[in-house]
Amino acid sequence: MDEADVVSIAELLDERRYLLDVACWMLGSAGEAECVVDEVYRRWYGLSGAARREIARPRSWLARSAGRSCLSRLALVERSGDTAFEAGAEGAEEEVGVEAEVSRVPLDALGCLSPDERARASLRVRRSDPVAPWEHDALVRAVGRACLDGDTGHLVSLLCPDVTAFFDGGGKVRALSRPVHGGRQVAHSLLTLLARRPRTALTAQSVNGRTGLVARYGRQVAAVISLDVADLRVIQVWVILNPDKLRSWNQP
């Protein structure tokens, strides 16, 4: 598990909003700001895990990268004399230090599991003993209470020892980029993500026809969590953090 990407939903959303504000202020376009921020997160996930761990202040790194991207786009516009921005412009300045250590983005870094990983995850659920709907509901609510209480021991007891958690940030927020395995590791990632902060809330709601967990920051849905249950324990956790996939949850 990459500790550099284990943060609360409050920090995830505040960070993205901050970057959007910086880019919008520099470019004067909300649409272009979205493109810049998406590009910046792609650069972040392009770094190796070791390189990300060396960055003491990820938000500052992301903000500097956003600033460089904005300046590059503005320079292109000035040189061309055009009033329209060119999408996908790369920063003119070279990254320095650990910022230059870029590796191939792993397939699941943008929330996409490989076909083999998806097949194994699906097969595990099919092979497991199903539980009654009311048992599923009770277990999910117990997980939610343990997360709200910050009760690591109780949360671990609700998870299978070899539980796996998958995080889909879509490359648009600084979420975990690889699956997390093991009861204590998954519990840690969930407790960190769902840590109580001002304006945060966690509720049990219907998710894809079954009881799941919905995390909100202010009035915005920040995460939707589905849990696969077997033998009265959670065997898989699916966390959707991708803002694009949460748009339907955030419609007025």
Side-chain angles (χ1 to χ4, degrees):
M1 180 167 59
D2 193 343
E3 297 289 340
D5 289 330
V6 184
V7 296
S8 68
I9 58 169
E11 185 174 346
L12 288 179
L13 267 65
D14 280 344
E15 177 181 275
R16 182 172 173 83
R17 173 48 54 192
Y18 172 73
L19 296 175
L20 285 169
D21 287 345
V22 169
C24 192
W25 176 75
M26 293 185 70
L27 300 176
S29 166
E32 288 297 322
E34 288 274 359
C35 292
V36 165
V37 172
D38 289 349
E39 176 185 311
V40 166
Y41 278 115
R42 284 195 295 272
R43 290 180 183 174
W44 172 261
Y45 283 113
L47 296 174
S48 67
R52 290 202 299 268
R53 286 191 291 273
E54 290 184 17
I55 300 174
R57 296 180 177 83
R59 182 182 292 200
S60 297
W61 185 95
L62 292 165
R64 289 195 300 272
S65 185
R68 282 190 287 270
S69 291
C70 290
L71 290 174
S72 177
R73 286 167 181 257
L74 291 171
L76 282 173
V77 171
E78 183 177 352
R79 287 198 300 268
S80 66
D82 196 352
T83 57
F85 290 103
E86 294 186 30
E90 293 295 330
E93 298 183 34
E94 293 294 330
E95 302 287 355
V96 296
V98 295
E99 298 175 17
E101 187 179 345
V102 180
S103 62
R104 181 178 176 84
V105 180
L107 187 60
D108 62 333
L110 304 183
C112 302
L113 300 177
S114 70
D116 286 345
E117 286 174 317
R118 289 186 182 276
R120 286 196 297 270
S122 176
L123 182 62
R124 185 179 185 193
V125 173
R126 292 199 302 270
R127 285 180 173 176
S128 302
D129 294 330
V131 297
W134 67 268
E135 292 175 315
H136 178 97
D137 179 87
L139 182 57
V140 171
R141 291 178 185 276
V143 169
R145 286 193 296 271
C147 289
L148 288 174
D149 295 339
D151 191 337
T152 302
H154 184 45
L155 181 56
V156 170
S157 73
L158 301 172
L159 307 174
C160 284
D162 59 346
V163 63
T164 301
F166 303 92
F167 297 82
D168 179 1
K172 294 176 178 291
V173 292
R174 190 163 48 88
L176 286 164
S177 59
R178 293 193 178 279
V180 177
H181 306 282
R184 290 205 169 270
Q185 292 80 1
V186 170
H188 171 71
S189 64
L190 289 177
L191 290 173
T192 302
L193 179 72
L194 302 173
R196 280 194 173 183
R197 296 287 190 276
R199 302 174 57 213
T200 61
L202 182 66
T203 58
Q205 293 182 224
S206 177
V207 177
N208 296 328
R210 297 187 303 177
T211 303
L213 297 172
V214 177
R216 288 178 172 81
Y217 181 54
R219 296 184 178 181
Q220 182 176 355
V221 172
V224 173
I225 305 171
S226 299
L227 299 98
D228 293 328
V229 176
D231 302 321
L232 299 180
R233 282 190 173 185
V234 177
I235 60 172
Q236 289 178 166
V237 182
W238 305 84
V239 184
I240 302 300
L241 297 158
N242 185 344
D244 292 345
K245 293 184 179 180
L246 295 175
R247 281 177 180 166
S248 61
W249 287 85
N250 285 305
Q251 292 177 351

